[in-house]
Amino acid sequence: MIPVDDKPLVRDGKIVILAYDHGIEHGPADFTNMPERTDPEPVFEAATHPGVTSLAVQKGIAEGYYPSYEDDVNLLMKLNGTSNLWMGEPDTAVNCSVEYAVQVGASSVGFTVYAGANNEIGMVEEFREAQERSREHDLPVVMWGYPRGQGVKNASSPDVIAYAARLGLELGADVTKVKYPGSQEAMEDVVRMTGDSKVVMSGGSKTTDREFLEEVKATMNAGGDGVAVGRNVWQHENPQEILDALEAVVFEDATVDTALATAGIEEAHR
Ligand code: FBP
């Protein structure tokens, strides 16, 4: 790992990544409840919020939209991805090089590794290349650490999630993004596994504001470094509001109640 506290990805030691790679990972299904968010523009707008430290997108979206936002948004280029149409063992295609990410303006890169899948070896070798090339450009590397595939009996078990976090440290990720392991205590184990590297919680499918923020709060209490969130922000009726609340929890150590109140989120919508 390299020191990343002075990088655009990090603010005051904390990280909030707004993830918008769902068009490739999940496809149109993720846009049905909020069709206007099929358009990347409002999501780039949301990413200008001071509580967002970087926006994670795939190459095509970055090429098309980042030029208008390069002064206001920090770009995290996702270097690999797979569609939901792929029915084989979990695997992911490298679709962008580190050099090209730099050319488009990225200040960090993201890479998915499905530990436990039949092609774990291939994905880790590809990660090695991306990680070492990122070092040449002094770019932080975020690993999407998602164990899944034939070798994984229960991807959501705390032990498996802690293993994913440890792989991030061992393989040279600066930040590892893991699923929430179910409790603050389990998150403390995850954090212990990552040594001096950083760990962020993966947002998950859209839930209530309170439920989402409670998990973020537990992650921060456990010593985690932030969150990488997609649907709970851009599927939200008012991304600005939930980002206000998220900023309060991550950067100001606010309680969930205080954060919801500060953001003006009415009781009925919590
Ligand atoms: P969410 O907060 O919407 O879960 O986004 C985080 C993320 O890692 C995205 O970057 C990615 O598209 C998605 O989750 C993948 O989720 P999964 O592989 O579990 O379907």
Side-chain angles (χ1 to χ4, degrees):
M1 98 204 69
I2 56 170
V4 292
D5 278 346
D6 62 340
K7 304 291 186 204
L9 176 66
V10 183
R11 172 185 142 196
D12 299 336
K14 316 272 173 43
I15 295 171
V16 173
I17 296 166
L18 180 57
Y20 186 66
D21 57 341
H22 302 64
I24 188 166
E25 297 291 341
H26 298 162
D30 270 9
F31 304 119
T32 46
N33 74 335
M34 203 56 90
E36 62 271 34
R37 306 283 155 73
T38 313
D39 178 3
E41 197 86 41
V43 181
F44 273 78
E45 274 308 318
T48 63
H49 190 286
V52 175
T53 61
S54 282
L55 173 69
V57 291
Q58 292 274 343
K59 173 165 82 175
I61 303 271
E63 279 181 331
Y65 297 85
Y66 191 58
S68 314
Y69 286 90
E70 59 191 5
D71 292 336
D72 304 310
V73 172
N74 299 317
L75 175 64
L76 185 163
M77 184 77 92
K78 193 75 203 311
L79 301 180
N80 60 0
T82 342
S83 86
N84 239 351
L85 301 172
W86 167 253
M87 276 299 144
E89 263 283 285
D91 204 347
T92 175
V94 180
N95 50 40
C96 184
S97 66
V98 171
E99 286 67 29
Y100 194 66
V102 170
Q103 216 173 302
V104 179
S107 48
S108 62
V109 295
F111 204 99
T112 298
V113 173
Y114 296 123
N118 287 350
N119 190 34
E120 173 183 322
I121 306 301
M123 281 180 273
V124 169
E125 287 176 357
E126 288 163 355
F127 179 80
R128 169 188 51 81
E129 171 155 9
Q131 193 264 0
E132 292 179 3
R133 287 189 182 264
S134 297
R135 292 292 177 257
E136 289 167 18
H137 297 274
D138 202 24
L139 286 190
V141 180
V142 181
M143 180 190 283
W144 270 231
Y146 290 168
R148 59 181 63 159
Q150 283 196 14
V152 180
K153 299 287 166 275
N154 182 0
S156 57
S157 99
D159 287 355
V160 171
I161 293 171
Y163 203 157
R166 184 67 186 194
L167 282 176
L169 173 67
E170 303 270 350
L171 295 174
D174 304 300
V175 182
T176 305
K177 165 178 176 338
V178 295
K179 303 275 182 191
Y180 182 67
S183 69
Q184 183 177 319
E185 197 188 18
M187 192 49 115
E188 284 165 10
D189 292 337
V190 166
V191 170
R192 229 183 335 272
M193 286 301 145
T194 54
D196 287 340
S197 67
K198 291 191 184 287
V199 62
V200 296
M201 175 200 120
S202 188
S205 53
K206 178 81 176 69
T207 179
T208 64
D209 295 344
R210 181 178 292 282
E211 265 175 16
F212 166 60
L213 293 170
E214 296 282 9
E215 291 188 356
V216 177
K217 184 72 188 165
T219 297
M220 301 312 291
N221 285 346
D225 301 287
V227 60
V229 52
R231 290 163 286 180
N232 276 292
V233 169
W234 57 259
Q235 285 183 355
H236 198 279
E237 265 180 26
N238 188 338
Q240 180 80 26
E241 264 181 9
I242 188 68
L243 285 171
D244 286 347
L246 187 58
E247 183 179 28
V249 170
V250 172
F251 295 98
E252 291 148 32
D253 197 23
T255 63
V256 170
D257 280 327
T258 304
L260 286 165
T262 311
I265 299 177
E266 289 167 21
E267 193 64 50
H269 297 140
R270 296 180 185 177

